[in-house]
Amino acid sequence: MKKPSSTQASAARSKAVTEKKPKSPAIRIVLADDHHVVRQGMAAIIATEPDLKIVGEACDGEQTLALCAELKPDVLVLDLRMPVLDGFEVVKRLITDDPAACILVMTTYDTDEDIWRCLRAGAKGYILKDASQPEIITAIRTVARGESFTTPLLAVRLANRATAPELSPRESEVLQLLAYGKTNKEIATALNIEPGTIKSHIQSLFKKLGTSNRSEAINAASKRGLIRMS
Amino acid sequence: MKKPSSTQASAARSKAVTEKKPKSPAIRIVLADDHHVVRQGMAAIIATEPDLKIVGEACDGEQTLALCAELKPDVLVLDLRMPVLDGFEVVKRLITDDPAACILVMTTYDTDEDIWRCLRAGAKGYILKDASQPEIITAIRTVARGESFTTPLLAVRLANRATAPELSPRESEVLQLLAYGKTNKEIATALNIEPGTIKSHIQSLFKKLGTSNRSEAINAASKRGLIRMS
DNA sequence: ATATCGCTATCCCATTTGGGAGAGACACGG
DNA sequence: CCGTGTCTCTCCCAAATGGGATAGCGATAT
């Protein structure tokens, strides 16, 4: 699925920095973040390292895909929350095209579930936006070598997350509606099944989440990023 | 309560940029954000304007207070989410000291309640981190003149928020525990009152939030930022 | 072919919750 | 002093929820 690099710049407002031939083989980076401030900040940090070079910037998921296809960067530094196509989708698609792609996910306040999904999908690294400059640089270099980098803090949380049972698709649906404040009857109507069946699903949910009532379930699910309540 | 500016740099790791006498009266800015990346980005953006000058940076609430007391900046650009002391507290204390202080709150994904509280406490402006460079610059200049600046998008949401009734202190307590997944009996025990009384409070909550069950209440409260579930 | 898993459904029973209507005590501001 | 609001508590009743057991059906994996 690799497109030849002759592809014309196809991303709408994406900004492909004009390339200079690097004397030493610099690490070529694409930066994807919808916040202008963050892109500026990353650019400033990366500019301090001569062997790191931002070759393109994107501010949504589609641009990111287009830009990566076009520029074939050594590393993609990727924000999870982006318009149009979110970070997780981007990771999935890029890894499908090229399983060896080096993706460093960078995010602010995200849940274990997001992190987990991205790493499972093939992202090589995961750092938080409050990381220090050296940590960011190290992470980029490590991922560029094809190795994986994860903040120790996250590693612990991921260990917990790994032991938690997955929800079935139906359970996820029920959980969404439950979290939205629907009654069993309403959920049943929405899903076109019997209210009693909803009770069964909710019983399963409670067991998997380790909770004993709806509110606790909403809490647990929110913490784990199984539902989004914003 | 204004301390003389002779105060020694007291903030632990705060970074006071060495002052040069500006030829034209530049707008002196203190930047408070716990994310190194964001500080770098803001610095880069502000550096493009000759009449704007960052005189200090802080990465938590206490540093921010110390730095403002010491440097008396024209504008404080303040992130809401910070360790030690959150942004709202900083606004409150600074405004207490100097009601004319020019504070521009800058944040990412925050709730109407946060915004509302800050503006009510006396912040002059409120922008989102995904603002464009011109918008950021304009916001800083506007706030520096003592005028107020708020993203149009936020103005609408604030209008809604203004009509919502306030919760009483007791109701807030009950809401917290309810949202945590406690039963009426548990809440009663925690607050040392009768379970029946909890029901009364919850009835009030439902009316004020416009909900009819716990899950909906958790939802509404979360949206409005009345509770925090992370 | 057999086992497992997910989805569906039903029955019973105890507990919790939601809705309504009061009412006394206390503090605060006009 | 009087109204208002908050916090407290009570009683009643209907609806929703939580817990348990059980079971058919289809798909999928072993």
Side-chain angles (χ1 to χ4, degrees):
Chain A
M1 290 286 287
K2 295 187 183 180
K3 292 181 187 176
S5 59
S6 62
T7 313
Q8 290 284 356
S10 50
R13 294 156 317 198
S14 61
K15 188 170 62 177
V17 176
T18 51
E19 283 191 48
K20 297 173 192 172
K21 286 182 185 172
K23 290 167 189 176
S24 53
I27 297 176
R28 299 170 62 252
I29 302 168
V30 161
L31 186 55
D33 195 310
D34 59 328
H35 292 167
H36 183 242
V37 176
V38 174
R39 292 201 306 275
Q40 284 280 331
M42 282 299 293
I45 289 172
I46 288 173
T48 63
E49 303 296 307
D51 63 325
L52 302 185
K53 183 174 170 56
I54 294 178
V55 295
E57 294 184 12
C59 55
D60 70 45
E62 284 187 359
Q63 277 182 24
T64 308
L65 288 178
L67 216 52
C68 284
E70 184 192 339
L71 300 174
K72 300 284 172 198
D74 299 316
V75 178
L76 169 63
V77 176
L78 179 70
D79 185 19
L80 259 199
R81 304 229 183 153
M82 283 196 300
V84 189
L85 215 67
D86 80 353
F88 173 59
E89 272 301 314
V90 173
V91 172
K92 258 200 327 198
R93 300 201 193 180
L94 284 179
I95 292 292
T96 304
D97 286 3
D98 174 13
C102 298
I103 304 175
L104 175 62
V105 176
M106 187 176 189
T107 192
T108 322
Y109 301 106
D110 277 303
T111 62
D112 299 356
E113 187 66 16
D114 293 318
I115 304 170
W116 177 256
R117 275 204 289 244
C118 279
L119 291 181
R120 204 180 38 184
K124 294 275 187 301
Y126 213 112
I127 53 171
L128 298 171
K129 276 186 189 162
D130 58 2
S132 66
Q133 173 148 354
E135 191 174 8
I136 294 171
I137 298 294
T138 303
I140 293 177
R141 290 228 179 85
T142 306
V143 170
R145 284 196 302 273
E147 299 168 20
S148 68
F149 182 98
T150 307
T151 309
L153 197 150
L154 289 184
V156 181
R157 283 168 47 183
L158 287 180
N160 301 341
R161 152 66 243 223
T163 64
E166 303 260 346
L167 302 188
S168 76
R170 202 49 151 181
E171 284 162 359
S172 297
E173 284 181 301
V174 173
L175 177 59
Q176 284 297 333
L177 294 166
L178 182 159
Y180 194 69
K182 305 283 190 187
T183 65
N184 290 346
K185 207 182 293 181
E186 289 170 331
I187 300 174
T189 304
L191 299 182
N192 237 310
I193 53 180
E194 291 300 307
T197 307
I198 300 301
K199 290 185 61 174
S200 300
H201 289 307
I202 291 181
Q203 290 298 327
S204 304
L205 277 170
F206 286 168
K207 274 173 191 148
K208 289 189 180 178
L209 295 174
T211 57
S212 56
N213 66 47
R214 303 180 158 231
S215 305
E216 269 189 0
I218 294 175
N219 239 262
S222 170
K223 271 200 187 54
R224 299 192 197 171
L226 300 171
I227 54 176
R228 189 134 352 254
M229 358 198 355
S230 52
Chain B
M1 292 284 288
K2 294 188 186 182
K3 291 182 186 175
S5 59
S6 62
T7 315
Q8 291 284 356
S10 50
R13 296 156 318 200
S14 61
K15 187 169 66 178
V17 175
T18 51
E19 283 194 48
K20 297 173 189 171
K21 285 181 186 172
K23 292 166 186 176
S24 53
I27 297 175
R28 297 170 62 253
I29 302 168
V30 160
L31 185 54
D33 196 308
D34 59 329
H35 292 167
H36 182 243
V37 175
V38 174
R39 292 201 306 274
Q40 284 281 330
M42 282 298 294
I45 289 172
I46 288 173
T48 63
E49 303 295 307
D51 62 325
L52 303 185
K53 185 175 167 57
I54 295 179
V55 295
E57 295 184 13
C59 54
D60 71 46
E62 282 186 359
Q63 277 183 23
T64 308
L65 288 178
L67 215 52
C68 284
E70 182 191 341
L71 300 173
K72 299 285 173 199
D74 299 316
V75 179
L76 169 63
V77 177
L78 180 68
D79 185 18
L80 260 198
R81 305 232 184 148
M82 284 196 300
V84 188
L85 216 67
D86 80 354
F88 172 59
E89 271 302 314
V90 173
V91 172
K92 258 198 330 197
R93 300 202 193 177
L94 284 179
I95 293 292
T96 305
D97 286 2
D98 174 14
C102 298
I103 304 175
L104 175 61
V105 176
M106 187 176 188
T107 190
T108 321
Y109 303 105
D110 277 304
T111 62
D112 300 358
E113 188 66 17
D114 294 318
I115 304 171
W116 177 257
R117 274 204 288 244
C118 280
L119 290 181
R120 202 180 40 185
K124 293 276 186 301
Y126 213 110
I127 54 171
L128 298 171
K129 276 185 188 164
D130 58 1
S132 65
Q133 173 147 357
E135 193 174 5
I136 293 171
I137 299 293
T138 304
I140 292 177
R141 289 228 180 85
T142 306
V143 170
R145 284 197 302 272
E147 300 168 20
S148 67
F149 181 99
T150 307
T151 308
L153 197 151
L154 288 184
V156 180
R157 285 168 45 184
L158 288 180
N160 300 340
R161 153 65 246 224
T163 64
E166 303 261 347
L167 302 189
S168 75
R170 202 49 153 177
E171 284 161 358
S172 296
E173 283 181 302
V174 173
L175 176 58
Q176 284 296 336
L177 294 166
L178 182 158
Y180 195 68
K182 305 282 191 188
T183 65
N184 290 346
K185 206 182 296 180
E186 288 169 334
I187 300 174
T189 304
L191 298 183
N192 237 315
I193 54 181
E194 290 301 306
T197 307
I198 301 299
K199 291 184 63 172
S200 300
H201 289 308
I202 291 182
Q203 290 298 326
S204 304
L205 277 170
F206 286 169
K207 275 172 190 148
K208 289 188 180 178
L209 294 173
T211 57
S212 55
N213 64 49
R214 299 173 165 236
S215 304
E216 270 190 0
I218 294 175
N219 238 260
S222 172
K223 271 201 188 52
R224 298 190 198 173
L226 300 171
I227 54 175
R228 206 163 293 292
M229 352 196 3
S230 52

